Amino acid sequence: PAPLVVLDGGGGEIKAGIAGHSDPSCRAPHCIGRIPREHRRLVADETVTGTNAYGSIKYTNACQRGYAVNLDVEEEVLARVFGHHMKVDTTASQLLATEPPFVPSQLRADMLELLFETFGFRSVALCAAPVLAALHVLAAGQRGTPSDLVAFAQSQPPVMIVDSGFSFTHAVPVVSLRPVTSAVKRLNVGGKLLTNHLKQLVSFRAFNVMSETHVVNKMKEDSCFVSSDFLADLRTARQGRRTANPLWREYVL
């Protein structure tokens, strides 16, 4: 059978792998970069590993507000992911790709045209990410064929999936593995908003990093965490360095 490639293209990061593997084969920034002084063009992971001159990189993202709108950038990123990292023959493969809720029909058609016409996939399935998350939760610990797992998950009670990404957060009720679109709620809060907030804090308290979005985003991913007890962690953070503070971090750029 043709291998099944799984693609999760978020606003900030793109992940890809082969179905059945526990971890993705590739994780990379969902963008390209250009260094004007060196006349260099960096694609996806090259924006991280290909240079140390992060401050001089001019970034162009494939996604805006969570939707893939720049297909020229998307094509370059996917070509590097499929060819350089995964080394898959797309013309002999099938693809399962995630998409956010409420994707405009024209953007979906453009994406399908890119996947079929440029990369030549044998078949493509687009699925809302919260539905796949619901399947993962409901079928956890079960064994059987994919059809058996889907049938089992469909027989389970409804679940609420909160999908928080780079550009926004969705709360999606899923019933029998189908999203209840009329009840989906979107909040324009995601990783990008937190990165912008951190830029303001660092710029106000230390030095100006307002133009260093990707550097601050890396700082956030390396140092920050989701608190399970916000008030307690806030009290600990306010103690500063007077004690052996477990939340204190020294970060070297």
Side-chain angles (χ1 to χ4, degrees):
L4 176 60
V5 178
V6 181
L7 178 69
D8 181 23
E13 186 180 59
I14 189 168
K15 299 181 285 291
I18 302 297
H21 294 186
S22 58
D23 296 313
S25 306
C26 172
R27 300 179 63 147
H30 202 173
C31 64
I32 62 174
R34 182 173 56 88
I35 304 179
R37 292 179 301 176
E38 301 179 13
H39 302 287
R40 293 179 59 194
R41 192 176 182 85
L42 309 171
V43 180
D45 61 294
E46 292 179 324
T47 60
V48 178
T49 62
T51 181
N52 291 324
Y54 301 114
S56 61
I57 299 178
K58 304 299 181 183
Y59 295 94
T60 304
N61 295 319
C63 297
Q64 297 293 335
R65 297 186 180 274
Y67 300 119
V69 296
N70 193 330
L71 292 187
D72 291 334
V73 173
E74 185 76 7
E75 180 178 344
E76 290 191 61
V77 172
L78 291 181
R80 180 163 179 82
V81 169
F82 296 144
H84 178 78
H85 291 286
M86 300 185 66
K87 296 180 172 58
V88 296
D89 181 4
T90 55
T91 60
S93 303
Q94 305 174 83
L95 178 70
L96 171 61
T98 63
E99 64 176 7
F102 308 124
V103 176
S105 57
Q106 186 58 53
L107 293 182
R108 180 183 289 113
D110 292 342
M111 177 60 71
L112 288 172
E113 180 179 351
L114 174 67
L115 296 172
F116 279 120
E117 300 296 334
T118 302
F119 294 99
F121 280 99
R122 294 177 58 179
S123 63
V124 175
L126 299 180
C127 182
V131 174
L132 295 179
L135 175 61
H136 176 75
V137 171
L138 294 173
Q142 300 296 315
R143 295 182 179 274
T145 65
S147 298
D148 293 337
L149 297 180
V150 169
F152 176 82
Q154 289 176 331
S155 67
Q156 299 303 297
V159 295
M160 174 70 76
I161 299 297
V162 178
D163 181 13
S164 187
F166 182 72
S167 302
F168 41 58
T169 297
H170 283 106
V172 184
V174 179
V175 180
S176 298
L177 287 188
R178 292 183 180 274
V180 184
T181 55
S182 61
V184 174
K185 300 299 182 183
R186 167 174 165 159
L187 184 65
N188 292 322
V189 173
K192 182 178 181 180
L193 181 68
L194 300 180
T195 299
N196 290 338
H197 181 58
L198 183 58
K199 285 196 303 182
Q200 293 176 345
L201 291 178
V202 174
S203 297
F204 178 75
R205 297 177 180 179
F207 51 90
N208 188 1
V209 292
M210 293 302 294
S211 62
E212 307 290 351
T213 300
H214 285 258
V215 173
V216 177
N217 189 69
K218 183 69 164 56
M219 183 191 311
K220 178 195 71 178
E221 293 177 348
D222 290 343
S223 304
C224 297
F225 65 96
V226 177
S227 173
S228 58
D229 190 340
F230 177 73
L231 294 179
D233 286 336
L234 190 60
R235 288 192 295 269
T236 302
R238 286 172 173 168
Q239 294 175 4
R241 301 184 66 178
R242 290 174 295 178
T243 60
N245 194 329
L247 299 183
W248 187 267
R249 297 287 186 274
E250 290 188 0
Y251 192 87
V252 180
L253 295 175

XYZ file of all heavy atoms in Angstrom, residues 46-127:
636
model
N 16.173 25.949 7.886
C 17.394 26.702 7.607
C 17.387 28.063 8.304
O 18.450 28.630 8.557
C 17.565 26.897 6.106
C 17.856 25.628 5.335
C 17.983 25.869 3.846
O 17.240 26.723 3.314
O 18.818 25.207 3.210
N 16.190 28.594 8.601
C 16.127 29.866 9.315
C 16.637 29.744 10.740
O 16.934 30.745 11.389
C 14.681 30.402 9.343
O 13.836 29.454 10.012
C 14.149 30.621 7.934
N 16.756 28.503 11.231
C 17.265 28.257 12.582
C 18.686 27.732 12.535
O 19.554 28.169 13.301
C 16.361 27.252 13.333
C 16.927 26.954 14.716
C 14.942 27.788 13.444
N 18.953 26.780 11.635
C 20.254 26.104 11.604
C 21.221 26.675 10.577
O 22.414 26.389 10.637
C 20.055 24.609 11.296
O 19.450 24.456 9.993
C 19.154 23.957 12.339
N 20.709 27.484 9.644
C 21.561 27.913 8.538
C 22.328 29.185 8.771
O 23.144 29.581 7.925
N 22.119 29.857 9.903
C 22.790 31.121 10.148
C 22.717 31.454 11.634
O 21.874 30.926 12.363
C 22.145 32.256 9.340
O 22.841 33.478 9.580
C 20.685 32.428 9.725
N 23.610 32.342 12.058
C 23.547 32.885 13.414
C 23.078 34.336 13.399
O 22.901 34.939 14.455
C 24.927 32.811 14.084
C 25.336 31.374 14.380
O 24.496 30.549 14.729
N 26.619 31.076 14.247
N 22.889 34.891 12.211
C 22.502 36.296 12.070
C 20.986 36.437 12.113
O 20.352 36.893 11.165
C 23.067 36.858 10.775
N 20.393 36.016 13.233
C 18.938 36.020 13.316
C 18.360 37.435 13.221
O 17.271 37.625 12.675
C 18.490 35.376 14.634
C 18.958 33.952 14.794
C 19.867 33.610 15.789
C 18.497 32.951 13.952
C 20.312 32.311 15.943
C 18.932 31.645 14.096
C 19.839 31.332 15.094
O 20.275 30.044 15.235
N 19.075 38.396 13.734
C 18.554 39.757 13.726
C 18.441 40.361 12.346
O 17.699 41.320 12.150
N 19.188 39.835 11.365
C 19.168 40.407 10.019
C 18.262 39.647 9.056
O 18.148 40.014 7.899
C 20.595 40.435 9.451
O 21.132 39.116 9.362
N 17.601 38.579 9.525
C 16.738 37.788 8.655
C 15.403 38.506 8.462
O 14.788 38.979 9.412
C 16.489 36.382 9.237
C 17.798 35.613 9.384
C 15.529 35.597 8.361
C 17.631 34.236 10.003
N 14.974 38.580 7.221
C 13.653 39.088 6.887
C 12.746 37.888 6.621
O 12.953 37.153 5.662
C 13.708 39.998 5.653
C 14.686 41.158 5.783
C 14.321 42.074 6.944
C 15.292 43.250 7.036
N 15.000 44.120 8.203
N 11.744 37.694 7.482
C 10.913 36.496 7.420
C 9.660 36.745 6.582
O 9.087 37.838 6.592
C 10.485 36.072 8.831
C 11.622 35.630 9.722
C 12.251 36.528 10.576
C 12.060 34.307 9.716
C 13.290 36.124 11.404
C 13.093 33.895 10.541
C 13.708 34.810 11.373
O 14.730 34.413 12.189
N 9.244 35.686 5.892
C 7.963 35.679 5.188
C 7.233 34.408 5.585
O 7.719 33.303 5.334
C 8.150 35.713 3.663
O 8.934 36.853 3.298
C 6.794 35.793 2.965
N 6.088 34.552 6.214
C 5.328 33.405 6.698
C 4.379 32.888 5.633
O 3.867 33.647 4.801
C 4.524 33.780 7.946
C 5.409 34.138 9.122
O 6.427 33.483 9.354
N 5.043 35.159 9.865
N 4.139 31.576 5.686
C 3.161 30.982 4.776
C 1.749 31.267 5.233
O 0.820 31.316 4.416
C 3.386 29.478 4.661
N 1.558 31.444 6.545
C 0.219 31.608 7.118
C 0.026 33.007 7.671
O 0.952 33.610 8.225
C -0.015 30.585 8.232
S 0.010 28.871 7.679
N -1.179 33.494 7.529
C -1.610 34.727 8.158
C -2.909 34.442 8.901
O -3.841 33.869 8.335
C -1.822 35.830 7.115
C -0.563 36.232 6.359
C 0.470 36.915 7.245
O 0.119 37.504 8.277
N 1.734 36.838 6.862
N -2.948 34.816 10.174
C -4.121 34.556 11.021
C -4.519 33.078 11.003
O -5.702 32.740 11.044
C -5.295 35.435 10.596
C -5.026 36.919 10.763
C -6.261 37.744 10.465
N -5.985 39.166 10.634
C -6.067 39.831 11.776
N -6.417 39.181 12.867
N -5.802 41.118 11.847
N -3.521 32.207 10.892
C -3.766 30.778 10.975
C -4.087 30.087 9.668
O -4.188 28.854 9.630
N -4.246 30.834 8.579
C -4.603 30.233 7.299
C -3.443 30.373 6.316
O -2.797 31.426 6.238
C -5.850 30.906 6.718
C -7.063 30.807 7.600
C -7.690 31.951 8.089
C -7.586 29.572 7.960
C -8.808 31.864 8.911
C -8.704 29.480 8.777
C -9.299 30.622 9.255
O -10.397 30.522 10.066
N -3.203 29.316 5.527
C -2.126 29.328 4.539
C -2.565 30.173 3.349
O -3.401 29.748 2.548
C -1.795 27.909 4.101
N -2.015 31.365 3.232
C -2.413 32.291 2.175
C -1.281 32.556 1.183
O -1.545 32.979 0.052
C -2.895 33.627 2.768
C -4.149 33.417 3.611
C -1.813 34.273 3.630
N -0.047 32.335 1.576
C 1.094 32.553 0.682
C 1.553 31.206 0.148
O 2.388 30.529 0.751
C 2.227 33.263 1.433
C 3.292 33.803 0.498
O 3.534 33.245 -0.568
N 3.926 34.890 0.907
N 1.001 30.791 -0.983
C 1.281 29.451 -1.490
C 2.677 29.328 -2.088
O 3.197 28.211 -2.198
C 0.226 29.063 -2.533
C -1.192 28.860 -1.981
C -2.106 28.319 -3.059
C -1.182 27.934 -0.775
N 3.296 30.428 -2.490
C 4.679 30.357 -2.963
C 5.606 29.940 -1.821
O 6.494 29.088 -1.997
C 5.118 31.713 -3.524
C 4.396 32.062 -4.816
O 3.968 31.124 -5.525
O 4.248 33.267 -5.103
N 5.399 30.541 -0.651
C 6.178 30.146 0.523
C 5.817 28.726 0.934
O 6.692 27.914 1.256
C 5.930 31.129 1.685
C 6.603 30.627 2.964
C 6.442 32.514 1.325
N 4.525 28.397 0.911
C 4.074 27.060 1.275
C 4.736 26.004 0.396
O 5.169 24.950 0.880
C 2.555 26.972 1.155
C 1.966 25.663 1.622
C 1.913 25.530 3.122
O 2.219 26.518 3.829
O 1.565 24.442 3.618
N 4.832 26.271 -0.884
C 5.445 25.306 -1.806
C 6.914 25.082 -1.472
O 7.393 23.938 -1.468
C 5.312 25.811 -3.240
C 5.913 24.876 -4.281
C 5.729 25.374 -5.694
O 4.894 26.277 -5.920
O 6.431 24.856 -6.591
N 7.647 26.157 -1.177
C 9.065 26.008 -0.831
C 9.245 25.224 0.456
O 10.129 24.359 0.558
C 9.715 27.389 -0.712
C 9.881 28.131 -2.010
C 10.760 29.363 -1.847
O 11.947 29.207 -1.473
O 10.259 30.474 -2.065
N 8.416 25.521 1.446
C 8.525 24.824 2.733
C 8.198 23.348 2.575
O 8.924 22.465 3.066
C 7.603 25.484 3.775
C 7.557 24.639 5.046
C 8.075 26.890 4.105
N 7.107 23.031 1.874
C 6.722 21.633 1.692
C 7.753 20.873 0.870
O 8.021 19.694 1.136
C 5.348 21.551 1.022
C 4.160 22.020 1.871
C 2.867 21.869 1.083
C 4.082 21.252 3.178
N 8.338 21.521 -0.127
C 9.354 20.858 -0.937
C 10.557 20.457 -0.087
O 11.118 19.366 -0.254
C 9.788 21.769 -2.087
N 10.930 21.318 0.849
C 12.056 20.976 1.728
C 11.663 19.881 2.713
O 12.443 18.960 2.978
C 12.542 22.208 2.479
C 13.726 21.897 3.401
C 14.465 23.114 3.832
N 15.567 22.774 4.721
C 16.763 22.354 4.338
N 17.037 22.216 3.050
N 17.708 22.057 5.209
N 10.437 19.967 3.259
C 9.988 18.959 4.222
C 9.905 17.582 3.567
O 10.445 16.596 4.079
C 8.632 19.365 4.822
C 8.026 18.210 5.599
C 8.796 20.574 5.733
N 9.222 17.489 2.428
C 9.033 16.192 1.778
C 10.310 15.672 1.140
O 10.593 14.474 1.192
C 7.936 16.296 0.709
C 6.577 16.618 1.244
C 5.706 17.435 0.534
C 6.162 16.113 2.466
C 4.444 17.729 1.029
C 4.901 16.415 2.983
C 4.049 17.224 2.251
N 11.096 16.565 0.536
C 12.274 16.122 -0.194
C 13.514 15.978 0.658
O 14.157 14.926 0.665
N 13.862 17.026 1.411
C 15.123 17.007 2.158
C 15.015 16.200 3.443
O 15.915 15.420 3.777
C 15.543 18.441 2.480
C 16.800 18.535 3.293
N 18.057 18.365 2.748
C 16.999 18.765 4.626
C 18.970 18.487 3.693
N 18.356 18.732 4.837
N 13.932 16.383 4.189
C 13.820 15.741 5.497
C 13.219 14.333 5.416
O 13.783 13.382 5.953
C 12.993 16.620 6.443
C 13.676 17.877 6.843
N 14.711 17.915 7.734
C 13.478 19.165 6.451
C 15.142 19.152 7.905
N 14.404 19.936 7.132
N 12.066 14.209 4.760
C 11.381 12.923 4.758
C 11.828 12.014 3.619
O 11.728 10.798 3.715
C 9.871 13.156 4.678
C 9.312 13.961 5.825
S 7.513 14.076 5.758
C 7.060 12.354 6.047
N 12.282 12.633 2.532
C 12.742 11.871 1.359
C 11.668 10.880 0.889
O 11.938 9.701 0.662
C 14.056 11.146 1.659
C 15.220 12.088 1.952
C 16.501 11.331 2.245
C 17.692 12.262 2.354
N 17.550 13.290 3.394
N 10.443 11.381 0.746
C 9.347 10.548 0.286
C 9.034 10.880 -1.168
O 9.221 12.014 -1.623
C 8.088 10.744 1.145
C 8.330 10.296 2.561
C 7.617 12.191 1.112
N 8.569 9.881 -1.892
C 8.084 10.076 -3.252
C 6.614 10.458 -3.157
O 5.752 9.610 -2.942
C 8.270 8.791 -4.065
C 7.790 8.949 -5.500
O 7.386 10.070 -5.886
O 7.793 7.948 -6.243
N 6.342 11.745 -3.293
C 4.967 12.214 -3.095
C 4.014 11.642 -4.144
O 2.821 11.484 -3.870
C 4.910 13.750 -3.134
O 5.493 14.213 -4.362
C 5.680 14.341 -1.958
N 4.534 11.323 -5.326
C 3.651 10.789 -6.367
C 3.203 9.369 -6.066
O 2.281 8.867 -6.710
C 4.344 10.827 -7.731
O 5.541 10.020 -7.683
C 4.735 12.254 -8.109
N 3.861 8.716 -5.110
C 3.474 7.354 -4.729
C 2.927 7.310 -3.310
O 2.845 6.242 -2.705
C 4.673 6.416 -4.856
N 2.543 8.468 -2.761
C 2.114 8.548 -1.369
C 0.717 9.147 -1.273
O 0.235 9.824 -2.182
C 3.090 9.415 -0.552
O 4.413 8.926 -0.628
N 0.085 8.874 -0.128
C -1.166 9.515 0.235
C -0.881 10.545 1.325
O 0.136 10.450 2.023
C -2.163 8.476 0.751
C -2.412 7.329 -0.204
C -3.296 6.266 0.426
O -4.518 6.387 0.438
N -2.665 5.223 0.975
N -1.768 11.512 1.480
C -1.527 12.582 2.438
C -2.763 12.817 3.292
O -3.883 12.915 2.782
C -1.165 13.885 1.711
C -0.931 15.105 2.626
C 0.351 14.940 3.417
C -0.888 16.390 1.813
N -2.535 12.923 4.604
C -3.542 13.382 5.563
C -3.027 14.688 6.152
O -1.974 14.700 6.789
C -3.763 12.351 6.665
C -4.632 12.798 7.851
C -6.041 13.153 7.392
C -4.661 11.730 8.938
N -3.742 15.768 5.916
C -3.304 17.085 6.374
C -4.374 17.705 7.262
O -5.569 17.556 7.007
C -3.008 17.994 5.183
N -3.926 18.395 8.299
C -4.861 19.078 9.184
C -5.180 20.468 8.637
O -4.401 21.053 7.869
C -4.285 19.222 10.597
O -3.102 20.044 10.545
C -3.927 17.865 11.172
N -6.317 20.990 9.048
C -6.705 22.351 8.707
C -7.513 22.914 9.868
O -8.179 22.173 10.590
C -7.510 22.396 7.419
C -8.840 21.674 7.486
C -9.649 21.819 6.205
O -9.125 22.371 5.227
O -10.813 21.380 6.191
N -7.466 24.230 10.072
C -8.255 24.830 11.152
C -9.725 24.895 10.773
O -10.081 24.782 9.596
C -7.647 26.234 11.286
C -7.083 26.530 9.932
C -6.614 25.218 9.385
N -10.592 25.078 11.742
C -12.007 25.237 11.424
C -12.270 26.485 10.575
O -11.523 27.464 10.633
C -12.670 25.371 12.806
C -11.698 24.738 13.758
C -10.351 25.031 13.192
N -13.305 26.413 9.774
C -13.792 27.554 8.995
C -12.782 28.052 7.953
O -12.658 29.258 7.723
C -14.189 28.719 9.909
C -15.125 28.335 11.008
C -14.803 28.587 12.335
C -16.325 27.716 10.734
C -15.666 28.236 13.358
C -17.197 27.360 11.758
C -16.868 27.615 13.068
N -12.064 27.128 7.328
C -11.161 27.538 6.251
C -12.001 27.996 5.059
O -12.904 27.282 4.614
C -10.250 26.373 5.822
C -9.391 26.777 4.637
C -9.375 25.940 6.979
N -11.742 29.179 4.508
C -12.469 29.613 3.311
C -12.302 28.608 2.167
O -11.221 28.048 1.976
C -11.827 30.966 2.977
C -11.281 31.453 4.281
C -10.827 30.228 5.012
N -13.368 28.393 1.427
C -13.359 27.364 0.384
C -12.291 27.636 -0.672
O -11.689 26.693 -1.205
C -14.736 27.269 -0.277
O -15.123 28.526 -0.804
N -12.021 28.908 -0.970
C -11.011 29.209 -1.984
C -9.613 28.834 -1.505
O -8.797 28.313 -2.272
C -11.056 30.694 -2.350
C -10.129 31.074 -3.500
C -10.415 30.311 -4.775
O -11.551 30.302 -5.239
N -9.412 29.659 -5.347
N -9.327 29.069 -0.227
C -8.021 28.687 0.309
C -7.869 27.173 0.314
O -6.782 26.651 0.026
C -7.847 29.238 1.727
C -7.748 30.761 1.869
C -7.522 31.139 3.324
C -6.627 31.305 0.996
N -8.950 26.449 0.629
C -8.881 24.988 0.594
C -8.638 24.493 -0.837
O -7.837 23.596 -1.063
C -10.165 24.380 1.154
C -10.139 22.851 1.142
C -11.435 22.245 1.623
N -11.619 22.429 3.054
C -12.556 23.189 3.579
N -13.391 23.856 2.800
N -12.664 23.293 4.889
N -9.317 25.088 -1.801
C -9.134 24.686 -3.201
C -7.713 24.970 -3.667
O -7.108 24.163 -4.382
C -10.150 25.416 -4.084
N -7.158 26.121 -3.262
C -5.781 26.450 -3.644
C -4.787 25.457 -3.048
O -3.815 25.055 -3.700
C -5.439 27.868 -3.192
C -6.220 28.930 -3.954
O -6.751 28.614 -5.031
O -6.300 30.075 -3.450
N -5.027 25.068 -1.800
C -4.138 24.108 -1.160
C -4.219 22.747 -1.844
O -3.189 22.095 -2.089
C -4.479 23.978 0.323
C -3.650 22.939 1.076
S -1.875 23.289 1.047
C -1.824 24.715 2.142
N -5.403 22.304 -2.165
C -5.559 21.018 -2.861
C -4.886 21.058 -4.226
O -4.261 20.075 -4.654
C -7.039 20.677 -2.996
C -7.760 20.266 -1.709
C -9.253 20.137 -1.945
C -7.188 18.955 -1.171
N -5.013 22.167 -4.914
C -4.353 22.291 -6.219
C -2.839 22.177 -6.068
O -2.171 21.507 -6.867
C -4.724 23.626 -6.852
C -4.077 23.844 -8.221
C -4.462 25.168 -8.847
O -5.362 25.855 -8.301
O -3.857 25.531 -9.866
N -2.282 22.809 -5.030
C -0.839 22.713 -4.791
C -0.421 21.276 -4.503
O 0.571 20.778 -5.052
C -0.458 23.621 -3.615
C 0.994 23.548 -3.131
C 1.935 24.100 -4.193
C 1.164 24.312 -1.813
N -1.177 20.590 -3.663
C -0.812 19.232 -3.260
C -0.937 18.244 -4.411
O -0.106 17.333 -4.562
C -1.680 18.786 -2.079
C -1.490 19.587 -0.789
C -2.531 19.192 0.243
C -0.087 19.382 -0.220
N -1.946 18.409 -5.253
C -2.140 17.485 -6.366
C -1.283 17.858 -7.575
O -0.589 17.009 -8.145
C -3.616 17.450 -6.770
C -4.469 16.574 -5.901
C -5.537 17.104 -5.188
C -4.206 15.219 -5.776
C -6.326 16.303 -4.377
C -4.985 14.402 -4.970
C -6.045 14.948 -4.273
N -1.321 19.123 -7.967
C -0.667 19.525 -9.212
C 0.850 19.650 -9.069
O 1.599 19.286 -9.973
C -1.254 20.855 -9.707
C -2.744 20.809 -9.998
C -3.064 19.867 -11.145
O -2.198 19.641 -12.006
O -4.198 19.346 -11.183
N 1.303 20.175 -7.952
C 2.741 20.387 -7.777
C 3.439 19.160 -7.207
O 4.497 18.752 -7.705
C 2.985 21.603 -6.864
O 2.372 22.763 -7.433
C 4.486 21.853 -6.695
N 2.851 18.562 -6.170
C 3.506 17.436 -5.507
C 2.975 16.090 -5.967
O 3.612 15.063 -5.728
C 3.371 17.567 -3.987
C 4.114 18.742 -3.428
C 3.462 19.926 -3.126
C 5.483 18.668 -3.223
C 4.150 21.015 -2.622
C 6.186 19.750 -2.714
C 5.522 20.927 -2.419
N 1.829 16.053 -6.604
C 1.344 14.830 -7.231
C 0.925 13.726 -6.286
O 1.084 12.541 -6.616
N 0.397 14.060 -5.114
C -0.064 13.015 -4.201
C -1.170 12.191 -4.847
O -2.003 12.714 -5.599
C -0.574 13.631 -2.898
C 0.511 14.005 -1.933
C 0.954 15.318 -1.835
C 1.108 13.044 -1.130
C 1.951 15.660 -0.953
C 2.108 13.374 -0.234
C 2.540 14.690 -0.148
N -1.184 10.901 -4.521
C -2.203 10.014 -5.071
C -3.579 10.331 -4.523
O -4.590 10.239 -5.225
C -1.846 8.554 -4.783
C -0.580 8.090 -5.491
C -0.222 6.663 -5.129
N -1.305 5.735 -5.448
C -1.233 4.421 -5.236
N -0.137 3.891 -4.719
N -2.248 3.650 -5.542
N -3.649 10.696 -3.255
C -4.907 11.100 -2.627
C -4.590 12.037 -1.471
O -3.507 11.960 -0.885
C -5.697 9.880 -2.123
O -4.973 9.205 -1.108
N -5.525 12.908 -1.159
C -5.349 13.888 -0.094
C -6.628 13.952 0.727
O -7.734 14.024 0.163
C -5.025 15.293 -0.653
C -4.981 16.316 0.483
C -3.707 15.290 -1.406
N -6.485 13.907 2.039
C -7.613 14.088 2.953
C -7.293 15.256 3.868
O -6.222 15.285 4.495
C -7.865 12.826 3.772
N -8.191 16.235 3.922
C -8.052 17.373 4.827
C -9.005 17.168 5.994
O -10.190 16.909 5.791
C -8.373 18.676 4.105
C -7.488 19.024 2.902
C -7.937 20.342 2.283
C -6.019 19.096 3.300
N -8.502 17.292 7.194
C -9.301 17.022 8.382
C -9.034 18.100 9.423
O -7.886 18.526 9.599
C -8.955 15.647 8.951
S -9.935 15.171 10.392
